[in-house]
Amino acid sequence: MDIQQIIFQFIGGLGIFLFGIKAMGEGLQKSAGDRLRDLLDRFTTNPIKGVLAGIVVTILIQSSSATTVITVGLVSAGFMNLRQAIGVIMGANIGTTVTAFIIGIDIGEYALPILAFGSFLLFFFKMKRVQYIGQVLFGFGALFFGLELMSSGMKPLRDLQAFHDLTISMSDNPFLGVVIGTVFTLIVQSSSATVGILQGLFADGLISLDAALPVLFGDNIGTTITAVLASLGASVAAKRAALSHVLFNVIGSTIFIIILIPFTAFIEFIQGSLGLNEKMVIAFAHGAFNVTNTLIQLPFIAGLAWLVTRLIPGEDSYVDYKAKQLDPVFIQQSPSIALGAAKEEVIRMGQLVLKGLEEAKNYLDTGNGNHAEIALQLEDAINNLDHKITGYLVELSAAPLNEHESRKHNNLMDMVRDFERLGDHFENIIELGEYQVNNKVKMSEDAKENINDMYTLVISTLSEVIDALDQDDWKLAEDVMKKEERIDLLERKYRKQHILRVNEGRCSAQAGIVFVDIIINLERMGDHCVNIAESILDGLDHYQEYKTV
């Protein structure tokens, strides 16, 4: 027995399989349009919809781990609450079984032609749609080719006494199978891969059904590690979502270990009744496990949410970043109330920008990636509010508005655009901070002090313009315009000073580029604050009368 050949064929086949899964998922995602987060965000209003959304998204990206990571991110950003997240996670577990059914269609002998055809579409066509289809086919072919390699590599194991003894032990002790399945999936980071390997082992007669099923349960537990890793350093709500994923699969595996004998008999009955091949038997077992587990635990989502809340205590940092005030009924019944609701959401949008700007500053000061992650999540939330408020105001434009309301409506549209641009600028600052960290760019203490002074002034200006909008205070709005003049002066002054520092060798050229780009972004943020202040003043009739006098 050539051990080296077995190992090389197995790990090479596993690598090709994992690459195929990734390529197929990315191709499906691109061809379907990059709206998966929006799908999860919009269609999770109740647990059943959440389950369906989880199934659809997981089928599209061919990875339950990726779906749960997206879900943890949405919970962390406040787009989704814990109960909604648990529903999506349950759906993701069902959606991932589709891969096993694909593998069950035994077309391994056609793997290379499919892979070749996919490559042909990828390299010889310029249409994006055709390239995406090519990527899907390439991944599909690579998936089966990898499986064939792994399968041929593992066949000699049937003559190995130690492996034979291990499978007998797993038949006698189901918990050993669960542990093996869990550990192997923790290492590979893909339940689809470990289930595919299990299908190959069962098809080649290397493992019996009663030994394979506990390994299958362990695969489902092992796949939860990705969500756990994604939640590290995230909010308390995100940690709870990840723990609920772990508990869901652990509880399900425990139930099925208890009923292992009747479940095994049921799968054997299905195999005999439908005449399934061995790979499809494991696929049906995988699907039956996840669907039944979801049906059992779906009514207890509230209890599961309560349990993880008790297990992970602490202040839940959940903030509802969705638009809360934009009721379409207001547009028909009272446009003035609708304008007031839109204004409240614009103010909330400004508060998110302020918090994001502060987190970006914390990232520049400390280099702590958590601040960058929070800032980028806030930027996502700002973009979401921009989309919702703009859509609401467009609908409102069709309603009958008087001259004052029409002016206020136009001003709000302008403000939304300016707040969204402000979010883009602090995102730029985050990217500059990442460049600084990744390339170990060192700034002089003078440069750091200059950035800090300018940052403090911009934060103060942004805070003041939000207060001016909230209070309809023209004095605050005018003060914002004066502060912006100081920001412009500082930008010019600090840029000249930094050029001197670079020429004198006190700062590197790389540091100079980062410094200048940061202060340019801060200066442009000041410009957007002035635009908002001007819109506020334009909407105040008493200010217009005062200026006329």
Side-chain angles (χ1 to χ4, degrees):
M1 184 181 295
D2 191 342
I3 299 298
Q4 179 178 302
Q5 186 180 353
I6 291 172
I7 293 171
F8 282 9
Q9 274 197 265
F10 178 76
I11 61 174
L14 178 61
I16 293 170
F17 177 90
L18 291 172
F19 182 78
I21 284 279
K22 186 173 185 292
M24 188 166 67
E26 286 179 355
L28 285 166
Q29 183 177 342
K30 289 172 184 173
S31 60
D34 193 15
R35 297 180 182 177
L36 301 178
R37 280 181 57 133
D38 189 48
L39 179 69
L40 289 175
D41 181 26
R42 290 173 57 196
F43 298 103
T44 54
T45 50
N46 64 55
I48 294 173
K49 283 185 179 179
V51 170
L52 294 174
I55 292 170
V56 171
V57 171
T58 306
I59 289 171
L60 286 176
I61 61 179
Q62 287 293 295
S63 172
S64 61
S65 297
T67 304
T68 51
V69 167
I70 293 170
T71 304
V72 167
L74 288 169
V75 171
S76 184
F79 282 103
M80 189 184 293
N81 63 39
L82 185 57
R83 293 188 186 186
Q84 291 171 329
I86 293 172
V88 174
I89 287 165
M90 289 178 173
N93 276 35
I94 295 173
T96 196
T97 64
V98 170
T99 310
F101 282 101
I102 291 170
I103 293 168
I105 304 166
D106 196 3
I107 55 171
E109 60 189 283
Y110 303 108
L112 289 174
I114 294 169
L115 197 153
F117 184 57
S119 301
F120 179 78
L121 295 181
L122 267 172
F123 288 102
F124 295 102
F125 287 85
K126 293 191 175 180
M127 279 182 60
K128 290 291 183 186
R129 192 80 176 173
V130 176
Q131 287 185 342
Y132 297 153
I133 294 168
Q135 190 173 351
V136 172
L137 289 173
F138 177 85
F140 192 65
L143 182 155
F144 280 102
F145 182 57
L147 279 172
E148 288 291 303
L149 277 178
M150 284 191 287
S151 181
S152 61
M154 290 185 295
K155 276 178 183 175
L157 293 176
R158 72 175 72 219
D159 300 323
L160 192 65
Q161 186 61 40
F163 187 82
H164 185 64
D165 293 341
L166 178 63
T167 58
I168 291 172
S169 299
M170 286 192 292
S171 298
D172 295 336
N173 183 2
F175 290 103
L176 177 62
V178 172
V179 171
I180 289 171
T182 302
V183 172
F184 193 52
T185 307
L186 287 174
I187 295 167
V188 178
Q189 293 274 296
S190 170
S191 62
S192 295
T194 50
V195 172
I197 292 166
L198 189 63
Q199 286 174 290
L201 289 169
F202 185 61
D204 293 334
L206 296 171
I207 190 170
S208 62
L209 184 61
D210 54 355
L213 292 179
V215 177
L216 186 68
F217 306 153
D219 292 342
N220 282 274
I221 295 173
T223 195
T224 62
I225 188 63
T226 312
V228 172
L229 292 173
S231 71
L232 296 178
S235 66
V236 172
K239 288 185 174 71
R240 288 171 180 165
L243 179 60
S244 67
H245 190 203
V246 176
L247 287 178
F248 172 71
N249 282 309
V250 168
I251 292 168
S253 296
T254 304
I255 292 169
F256 275 80
I257 284 292
I258 293 168
I259 62 167
L260 180 60
I261 294 172
F263 183 63
T264 306
F266 169 72
I267 296 300
E268 287 173 341
F269 171 75
I270 292 290
Q271 181 182 13
S273 300
L274 301 179
L276 303 175
N277 66 44
E278 287 80 0
K279 289 183 179 179
M280 198 60 84
V281 170
I282 298 297
F284 264 87
H286 191 31
F289 168 76
N290 281 297
V291 171
T292 307
N293 188 26
T294 299
L295 291 174
I296 290 170
Q297 296 195 54
L298 188 59
F300 303 104
I301 282 182
L304 189 57
W306 175 85
L307 178 60
V308 295
T309 303
R310 300 301 289 268
L311 290 173
I312 301 181
E315 189 66 31
D316 191 346
S317 60
Y318 173 80
V319 179
D320 189 358
Y321 292 156
K322 292 182 181 179
K324 297 185 288 188
Q325 313 263 355
L326 307 181
D327 192 336
V329 174
F330 293 153
I331 295 174
Q332 303 300 326
Q333 294 185 350
S334 176
S336 61
I337 294 176
L339 280 170
K343 179 186 171 183
E344 290 301 312
E345 291 298 336
V346 173
I347 291 168
R348 222 157 56 80
M349 190 178 178
Q351 290 165 345
L352 293 179
V353 173
L354 181 61
K355 184 167 172 48
L357 184 58
E358 289 168 347
E359 289 294 340
K361 182 179 187 300
N362 291 337
Y363 179 57
L364 285 182
D365 291 343
T366 65
N368 186 330
N370 288 339
H371 293 300
E373 188 177 338
I374 292 168
L376 293 175
Q377 288 170 354
L378 287 164
E379 211 276 326
D380 275 349
I382 292 159
N383 289 341
N384 182 64
L385 279 178
D386 168 38
H387 176 70
K388 301 295 183 187
I389 298 168
T390 301
Y392 189 76
L393 288 171
V394 168
E395 285 185 40
L396 183 56
S397 64
L401 301 171
N402 61 37
E403 184 183 344
H404 171 72
E405 288 171 343
S406 182
R407 192 165 71 245
K408 188 175 180 181
H409 173 275
N410 292 334
N411 289 332
L412 285 173
M413 288 284 280
D414 291 338
M415 289 181 209
V416 170
R417 187 168 56 252
D418 281 303
F419 277 126
E420 193 277 329
R421 295 284 189 276
L422 283 161
D424 290 341
H425 284 300
F426 76 65
E427 184 181 20
N428 292 344
I429 291 170
I430 290 290
E431 289 172 358
L432 290 165
E434 287 173 345
Y435 175 84
Q436 190 178 349
V437 170
N438 294 336
N439 293 278
K440 298 180 181 177
V441 176
K442 298 291 183 186
M443 280 195 192
S444 66
E445 290 304 314
D446 287 343
K448 290 178 184 176
E449 189 176 333
N450 289 166
I451 289 173
N452 192 55
D453 289 345
M454 196 162 171
Y455 223 121
T456 302
L457 182 56
V458 171
I459 287 175
S460 169
T461 306
L462 178 58
S463 178
E464 197 162 23
V465 83
I466 294 167
D467 289 340
L469 176 60
D470 188 23
Q471 300 164 25
D472 287 330
D473 190 320
W474 62 268
K475 289 183 179 177
L476 287 176
E478 284 196 330
D479 193 44
V480 165
M481 300 174 83
K482 292 174 186 173
K483 282 186 173 180
E484 197 275 333
E485 291 174 5
R486 286 169 54 199
I487 292 169
D488 285 348
L489 289 171
L490 283 181
E491 190 265 337
R492 288 193 293 271
K493 175 184 172 184
Y494 289 161
R495 196 199 295 219
K496 288 177 183 176
Q497 288 179 355
H498 201 68
I499 290 169
L500 288 174
R501 282 195 294 269
V502 172
N503 290 338
E504 292 169 4
R506 289 188 288 140
C507 248
S508 67
Q510 273 186 313
I513 293 167
V514 173
F515 175 86
V516 169
D517 282 351
I518 288 173
I519 63 169
I520 285 173
N521 275 283
L522 290 171
E523 187 274 329
R524 287 175 182 167
M525 292 183 89
D527 292 341
H528 288 295
C529 287
V530 165
N531 292 344
I532 295 165
E534 287 174 346
S535 294
I536 293 167
L537 295 174
D538 184 59
L540 297 176
D541 288 337
H542 59 278
Y543 177 76
Q544 300 301 327
E545 291 167 6
Y546 165 77
K547 291 296 285 185
T548 304
V549 173

